[in-house]
Amino acid sequence: MPHISAKSRPIPASTASRPREAGFSLLELMVVVVIMSILALVILPRIIDRPDQARIARVQSDLATISSALKLYRLDNFRYPTTEQGLKALVSRPSSEPIPRNWAKNGYIDRLPKDPWGGEYQYLSPGVHGEFDVFTLGADGIAGGSDMNADLGTWTLE
C-alpha cells in the first residue's frame, strides 16, 4: 500500500459538498449594536428638537397671515380693529363701535388659527411694540417665559 501524506489526502465528499454555515458571529453583532448606539446618540437629539422648531415656524407663519389681514382691514377702514373688537373683526363684521364702513364682504381671513399649543392668538391695538401686537403666550399659556414658554409676537418676526 502506498504511503499517503497529509497534504495529498482526499477530502471526504460529505465535507466538500457542505456549504459553510451562514450567519453572523456574536462579535459581528456586537460591533453593529455599538455602531447603531453611537449613531443614535449623535442623531437622536437633532431629531427630537425638530417639533419645537416646527411650532415656532407655524407661529411665524400664522402671525404673518394675521398681520397681512389686519393691514388689509386698515386699508379698507382707515384704522385697525380695536382691542375689544379683537381678531374676530377679521372674520365677521364688528357690531361694536367703531363699526367699519367698508368691511370686506367675505372678511379678511377665512378663520382664525389657533396657536400650535391650542391657545388663541392675542391682539392689542395700539400695541406695546407697534401699531398693533398679535402674539401667542407660548406652550405654557402664561405671559413671559423662556424657550418654548416664551411669548412670540409680531415684534419677533424677521
Side-chain angles (χ1 to χ4, degrees), residues 12-152:
S14 62
T15 306
S17 63
R18 187 173 12 152
R20 184 173 181 245
E21 292 185 28
F24 298 105
S25 70
L26 181 60
L27 180 63
E28 291 170 326
L29 289 175
M30 292 300 292
V31 168
V32 169
V33 168
V34 168
I35 291 171
M36 291 181 72
S37 299
I38 292 170
L39 286 174
L41 287 173
V42 171
I43 296 172
L44 201 58
R46 293 181 187 175
I47 294 173
I48 290 174
D49 192 37
R50 296 288 185 211
D52 292 340
Q53 290 176 351
R55 286 183 186 100
I56 291 170
R58 181 172 153 214
V59 167
Q60 291 173 336
S61 174
D62 288 349
L63 292 175
T65 300
I66 294 169
S67 294
S68 294
L70 285 165
K71 290 173 184 173
L72 286 173
Y73 182 100
R74 182 173 182 229
L75 280 174
D76 287 349
N77 300 291
F78 308 106
R79 63 179 304 138
Y80 293 111
T82 64
T83 300
E84 292 76 27
Q85 290 170 331
L87 295 174
K88 292 176 185 166
L90 300 174
V91 178
S92 59
R93 185 184 188 104
S95 57
S96 62
E97 290 294 329
I99 296 175
R101 294 185 188 173
N102 298 321
W103 193 82
K105 179 180 173 185
N106 294 322
Y108 297 90
I109 193 170
D110 291 335
R111 63 174 180 78
L112 290 174
K114 292 202 179 267
D115 71 21
W117 302 280
E120 301 287 334
Y121 283 101
Q122 309 296 309
Y123 172 71
L124 293 174
S125 177
V128 175
H129 303 279
E131 292 182 285
F132 63 84
D133 290 341
V134 179
F135 58 98
T136 176
L137 298 174
D140 63 356
I142 300 170
S146 61
D147 298 323
M148 293 313 297
N149 295 329
D151 300 346
L152 299 170

